[in-house]
Amino acid sequence: MNKFKLLIIILLVSIFGNAQEFKSPNGNFTMKFSLLNDGTPTYQLSYLNKEVVKTSKLGLELKNDAKSLLNDFKVVSATPSTFDETWKTVWGEETQIQNHYNELAIKLKQNTTEREVIIRFRLFNDGLGFRYEFPQQKNLVYFVIKEERTEFAMTGDHTAFWIPGDYDTQEYDYTESKLSEIRGLFKKAVTDNASQQQFSETGVQTSLMMKTADGIYINLHEAALINYSCMSLDLNDKTFVFQSHLTPDAKGDKGYMQAPCVSPWRTMVISNDAKDILASRMTLNLNEPCKIEDTSWIKPVKYVGVWWEMITGKSSWSYTNDFPAIQLGVTDYSKAKPNGTHAANNKHVKEYIDFAALHGFDAVLVEGWNEGWEDWFGQSKDYVFDFVTPYPDFNVQEIHAYAKSKGVKMIMHHETSGSARNYERHMDKAYQFMKDNGYDAVKSGYVGNMLPRGEHHYSQWIVNHYQYALEKAADYKIMVNAHEAVRPTGIARTYPNLIGNESARGTEFQAFGGSKPNHTTILPFTRLMGGPMDYTPGIFEMDIAKLNANNNSHVNATIANQLGLYVVMYSPLQMAADLPENYNRFLDAFQFIKDVPVEWSEAKYLEAEPGYYITIARKDKNSNNWFVGNSNGNNARTATISLDFLEKGKKYEATIYADAKDADYKTNPQAYKITKQKVTSKSKLKMTSVAAGGYGISIVEVK
């Protein structure tokens, strides 16, 4: 280490017996570590000389262990260091990311047991991350976590944007409330899902977004969730102290550990400007560097697919209605009568391939292509899919050849119905089948309760399954988009073949009764803090009854809002989710979806307020063009945005796709206007978005 840097770090760290204090590189954050009189480790965090996290306890309760790892500690050493690097992304919101932090590693020894634990703190310019580390030692080898007792003590009754704490789903609408109001609103916030289990009426999930009365934004999450249970937060609504709550396994245990090992990082991103929360890369920086040597096969994808028509009920995944139940390898589909609604048939899929080729899309996703959909859900069925056997009306080789002739890739779909063991049993064969037939990417799904029975979607065993599937896919050079899996925690830095996740309430819920109008003004502050989401935007027909007369759902957005989401909801995997016939009705608006890139070199966060509005500008990775997107909340809003991010001295043409004056997400959602104007870095645009509206702007350099 540079001697000058080391000297600075030593100056930034004050050591007074069992108490230590250190600062972030820019000096805005100060963290204090100390031991209580009984040897309980604690931390406290200040931002701009104001306390934002009060003194909070640290530790773990162990199963069948009288002492646990909660108290009776002494400080053995406090080791400061600094780190500053800039690393290149395989894909991302920018081409390179600075990773700059000051670190303090506190080594503790428990007096009675002589067991050692290291608590490693990292202060970035945007907040704090810390984790528990368990070195190799004689007195702590194998141990079972009963509960992690990490605290996050808030300084007041903050406003929070939260979803119910749940072991199996994140697919809830967000509630905005004071912390003290969570208990009273909890039951209303819980809506039906295919698999769900709450643990407390004050339990909430991370990433949790909060705002203090004096305008400080606080985001609580975790990073690098590897071989550990996913963390939720349980609130004491009298003291406003959150305590970590880990997802249990089928036996109720929270984690089986073998030293040497580490916990995930616990993260706090904090700023007095909401835009800084969106710009934070702390979650990525707390993950290990890329472990895939050759990443040339990992490419962002813009796709269409045979999906929305099934979600709305217009079409079906299943091939026949003849069988109340099927057995793979036994049921003879050649003798079955086709139901006439099966969407994944050769003729129909070729229509999607033609549409993709005509409009320059990279790929086509097809769901319902494989045998087993007649009784796939809710039966706790182990051998539910084999991932290689198509229905009689879907010819894998023929479709592959047709797509290849059109310059279009196919995206595979693997629904597991939660049967993780069955998926692992078939994984090698399924991935090889993909490669043999030209599939470079897979959308996997985990709908319903997990198998092995009693496991949860976010327990340690299942978290390890998701990781196994991801790493196995990398062996076959396959990109993964996992739905219903654990929420991402920045692991895409280490394994960038994880190009997407669902793990939140996506567009599909607009066909299941609708989502709140401001939903996408919250997701970038919560779900997207850990990685991109396959949100599947781009719906142009909001009245679902026009697709399925038995479905009266309504998409709570305008067309202009749907366009803006391609910039606001960052993902290297973007779907134009609606039916081709609906895009053909609005080809002028569809042009924005065709033009907007999925590879970026730079991001500028122009304005943001969680729950109310977000406006982001992104620069195309392969040109000097910029794209701006806005998602608006529950109330109409007019704002002036500056284009000072454009290169000085250059001239551009802006094509603006905005809500029309009479647009209304309920009664007139398809009202939009498209205008063009010349702009430069000195230009300012006055933009109006209706409730649940927004806009998209393409800014093309004029030569």
Side-chain angles (χ1 to χ4, degrees):
M1 181 186 296
N2 182 293
K3 290 183 179 179
F4 178 70
K5 284 187 176 180
L6 179 60
L7 176 61
I8 290 179
I9 291 299
I10 291 173
L11 291 174
L12 288 172
V13 179
S14 305
I15 301 177
F16 307 100
N18 285 333
Q20 290 78 30
E21 179 179 303
F22 79 126
K23 294 181 179 292
S24 59
N26 63 6
N28 287 348
F29 288 94
T30 302
M31 198 213 79
K32 296 178 182 178
F33 173 87
S34 63
L35 294 178
L36 301 182
N37 291 336
D38 66 351
T40 299
T42 70
Y43 73 100
Q44 182 264 355
L45 184 64
S46 296
Y47 170 65
L48 299 176
N49 298 315
K50 186 165 189 174
E51 186 176 53
V52 287
V53 180
K54 298 193 297 183
T55 298
S56 303
K57 296 178 181 179
L58 299 165
L60 294 98
E61 183 179 357
L62 305 185
K63 183 179 180 181
N64 299 326
D65 188 294
K67 193 63 181 172
S68 287
L69 297 172
L70 296 170
N71 54 30
D72 194 29
F73 286 105
K74 63 181 178 182
V75 175
V76 175
S77 64
T79 306
S81 62
T82 189
F83 187 80
D84 190 1
E85 70 166 359
T86 299
W87 56 277
K88 293 183 179 180
T89 60
V90 176
W91 48 259
E93 298 184 66
E94 52 270 298
T95 54
Q96 55 186 24
I97 293 174
Q98 185 182 22
N99 184 13
H100 188 197
Y101 58 81
N102 291 336
E103 180 177 285
L104 185 61
I106 306 290
K107 187 174 185 179
L108 302 172
K109 178 174 281 189
Q110 198 168 39
N111 294 313
T112 306
T113 66
E114 295 191 339
R115 295 184 294 203
E116 293 183 344
V117 177
I118 296 170
I119 306 178
R120 190 175 303 275
F121 298 94
R122 289 181 180 171
L123 263 180
F124 298 78
N125 289 338
D126 46 352
L128 173 67
F130 64 85
R131 74 178 181 188
Y132 301 96
E133 300 179 0
F134 309 97
Q136 187 169 339
Q137 54 194 291
K138 290 188 293 185
N139 295 338
L140 188 67
V141 183
Y142 291 97
F143 57 100
V144 180
I145 297 173
K146 185 175 181 181
E147 187 61 270
E148 183 183 319
R149 298 295 183 188
T150 302
E151 290 184 350
F152 307 85
M154 298 296 99
T155 59
D157 191 9
H158 304 332
T159 298
F161 299 85
W162 58 275
I163 55 175
D166 199 296
Y167 297 152
D168 289 293
T169 186
Q170 281 192 283
E171 295 176 334
Y172 294 120
D173 258 319
Y174 281 87
T175 298
E176 177 186 353
S177 77
K178 295 291 188 181
L179 296 178
S180 60
E181 297 170 332
I182 291 176
R183 185 186 299 273
L185 296 170
F186 191 88
K187 289 182 179 179
K188 184 180 178 182
V190 175
T191 49
D192 288 341
N193 195 271
S195 179
Q196 58 191 147
Q197 183 173 328
Q198 302 84 48
F199 59 86
S200 165
E201 289 193 348
T202 55
V204 296
Q205 298 191 45
T206 70
S207 172
L208 175 67
M209 189 69 219
M210 291 176 285
K211 184 180 181 181
T212 69
D214 54 353
I216 303 297
Y217 299 88
I218 302 172
N219 186 280
L220 304 181
H221 194 30
E222 62 180 325
L225 174 57
I226 301 283
N227 192 24
Y228 205 85
S229 294
C230 179
M231 178 183 73
S232 291
L233 301 170
D234 201 2
L235 174 68
N236 182 323
D237 50 2
K238 299 292 189 288
T239 63
F240 306 127
V241 175
F242 288 103
Q243 183 176 275
S244 57
H245 182 96
L246 303 183
T247 305
D249 64 12
K251 296 175 63 177
D253 298 325
K254 303 297 183 83
Y256 286 77
M257 311 295 287
Q258 178 187 347
C261 56
V262 299
S263 76
W265 296 90
R266 280 59 187 100
T267 65
M268 285 154 272
V269 179
I270 299 168
S271 179
N272 55 10
D273 188 337
K275 299 192 297 292
D276 293 339
I277 306 298
L278 299 177
S280 174
R281 303 293 177 257
M282 182 195 296
T283 310
L284 287 172
N285 281 329
L286 287 169
N287 278 267
E288 294 184 19
C290 180
K291 290 188 175 182
I292 300 174
E293 277 190 37
D294 173 21
T295 59
S296 61
W297 52 274
I298 301 172
K299 299 182 183 299
V301 177
K302 193 189 299 184
Y303 72 106
V304 296
V306 185
W307 172 75
W308 185 243
E309 59 187 274
M310 286 104 89
I311 290 293
T312 58
K314 179 180 185 292
S315 305
S316 67
W317 284 270
S318 60
Y319 171 75
T320 181
N321 298 333
D322 285 358
F323 307 131
I326 64 100
Q327 295 183 49
L328 297 178
V330 176
T331 301
D332 187 356
Y333 280 96
S334 68
K335 297 178 180 178
K337 178 184 176 183
N339 57 23
T341 59
H342 181 233
N345 63 77
N346 285 1
K347 180 178 181 296
H348 193 47
V349 170
K350 286 179 180 179
E351 292 170 351
Y352 273 86
I353 293 172
D354 290 342
F355 183 81
L358 176 64
H359 294 289
F361 284 79
D362 303 306
V364 174
L365 166 74
V366 179
E367 297 198 12
W369 66 276
N370 55 323
E371 290 184 357
W373 288 93
E374 283 73 22
D375 66 343
W376 71 283
F377 174 73
Q379 310 302 325
S380 191
K381 189 174 182 179
D382 185 19
Y383 187 27
V384 57
F385 294 111
D386 69 6
F387 313 102
V388 296
T389 306
Y391 279 126
D393 59 351
F394 186 80
N395 187 307
V396 175
Q397 290 75 25
E398 180 183 336
I399 290 297
H400 167 50
Y402 188 80
K404 187 176 181 180
S405 73
K406 297 284 186 173
V408 173
K409 300 291 291 188
M410 299 299 296
I411 298 176
M412 179 59 74
H413 181 235
H414 288 167
E415 177 54 61
T416 70
S417 190
S419 185
R421 186 180 69 159
N422 181 60
Y423 194 30
E424 291 186 8
R425 186 188 297 135
H426 290 87
M427 199 172 286
D428 278 293
K429 186 177 180 181
Y431 285 165
Q432 187 60 57
F433 180 80
M434 286 179 58
K435 299 309 291 184
D436 292 344
N437 291 282
Y439 289 80
D440 296 330
V442 61
K443 173 185 175 181
S444 57
Y446 295 87
V447 175
N449 294 330
M450 297 302 302
L451 277 80
R453 297 174 184 88
E455 289 291 340
H456 294 290
H457 283 72
Y458 308 148
S459 60
Q460 182 187 32
W461 194 94
I462 304 299
V463 166
N464 288 349
H465 163 80
Y466 303 137
Q467 189 65 27
Y468 174 79
L470 178 63
E471 295 184 27
K472 177 69 73 172
D475 291 341
Y476 287 85
K477 295 188 176 181
I478 288 172
M479 298 179 289
V480 174
N481 167 28
H483 282 226
E484 295 89 29
V486 72
R487 54 187 170 270
T489 57
I491 289 169
R493 179 190 178 188
T494 313
Y495 291 95
N497 63 317
L498 182 61
I499 59 169
N501 280 108
E502 184 189 37
S503 307
R505 188 181 180 95
T507 298
E508 64 184 356
F509 278 84
Q510 298 281 23
F512 302 159
S515 295
K516 290 182 179 179
N518 68 341
H519 187 54
T520 53
T521 67
I522 301 172
L523 282 174
F525 288 100
T526 52
R527 162 61 183 77
L528 270 66
M529 291 295 290
M533 180 179 178
D534 184 29
Y535 185 72
T536 62
I539 305 303
F540 280 14
E541 178 51 70
M542 312 306 175
D543 183 359
I544 304 303
K546 291 183 179 179
L547 282 72
N548 174 11
N550 297 316
N551 187 340
N552 293 316
S553 299
H554 183 83
V555 178
N556 294 322
T558 66
I559 283 183
N561 168 278
Q562 292 293 290
L563 299 181
L565 294 182
Y566 286 92
V567 182
V568 171
M569 296 285 291
Y570 167 70
S571 178
L573 179 76
Q574 289 283 19
M575 184 182 197
D578 211 336
L579 277 58
E581 50 262 44
N582 289 332
Y583 291 132
N584 288 333
R585 294 162 55 202
F586 305 100
L587 285 174
D588 54 350
F590 185 57
Q591 187 64 44
F592 183 83
I593 299 178
K594 292 171 60 174
D595 292 341
V596 68
V598 285
E599 296 187 85
W600 306 104
S601 63
E602 195 176 346
K604 298 291 183 182
Y605 302 91
L606 306 184
E607 53 175 3
E609 183 65 29
Y612 294 86
Y613 54 85
I614 296 176
T615 307
I616 300 174
R618 302 190 191 276
K619 187 179 182 182
D620 180 16
K621 190 174 183 177
N622 301 306
S623 75
N624 203 33
N625 301 334
W626 285 79
F627 291 77
V628 179
N630 166 265
S631 178
N632 192 41
N634 295 322
N635 302 301
R637 181 174 180 273
T638 299
T640 299
I641 63 168
S642 170
L643 304 186
D644 58 4
F645 51 83
L646 296 176
E647 189 174 343
K648 291 179 174 57
K650 299 275 189 180
K651 295 181 179 179
Y652 300 81
E653 182 177 69
T655 304
I656 302 168
Y657 302 77
D659 293 318
K661 286 185 178 180
D662 59 345
D664 185 289
Y665 80 90
K666 292 181 181 177
T667 61
N668 198 17
Q670 294 168 330
Y672 59 87
K673 61 180 179 179
I674 302 174
T675 58
K676 293 179 183 287
Q677 67 181 82
K678 297 294 190 291
V679 297
T680 68
S681 62
K682 297 179 181 179
S683 300
K684 297 182 186 297
L685 299 178
K686 186 176 182 181
M687 301 298 303
T688 297
S689 301
V690 302
Y695 54 82
I697 307 174
S698 64
I699 306 175
V700 177
E701 183 181 359
V702 178
K703 300 295 185 182

